Amino acid sequence: MSKLILLITGYSLLYLSIITYYKINNFRVPFKNGLLGWKNDVKLKEKIIISFIINIPLFIVLFVL
């Protein structure tokens, strides 16, 4: 149960940090309507990078803990 709480906390911190990064640097946020999907002008390279970054907490829970 503690791994699940750790995973949820990690995901929420990552989502908030990604959105904060884009807002601080005055870029457009790549998500539409919160986090439900990608905007139409997001390139594939950016989608792949953000998707990999979002999956880091899962890798940590599965392989490290």
Side-chain angles (χ1 to χ4, degrees):
M1 188 68 168
S2 64
K3 286 186 180 182
L4 181 63
I5 293 171
L6 182 65
L7 186 65
I8 292 171
T9 306
Y11 275 128
S12 61
L13 287 175
L14 264 176
Y15 282 125
L16 290 175
S17 65
I18 288 172
I19 291 173
T20 318
Y21 170 78
Y22 277 96
K23 290 194 182 226
I24 287 174
N25 292 320
N26 293 326
F27 298 137
R28 51 107 185 92
V29 178
F31 307 114
K32 62 179 176 182
N33 297 333
L35 300 170
L36 297 177
W38 300 100
K39 287 186 177 175
N40 293 332
D41 60 343
V42 179
K43 295 180 180 178
L44 181 63
K45 181 179 178 181
E46 188 176 5
K47 289 179 185 178
I48 291 172
I49 292 171
I50 292 174
S51 296
F52 177 75
I53 291 171
I54 289 173
N55 283 315
I56 288 175
L58 181 65
F59 295 145
I60 290 172
V61 169
L62 288 178
F63 298 117
V64 176
L65 298 178

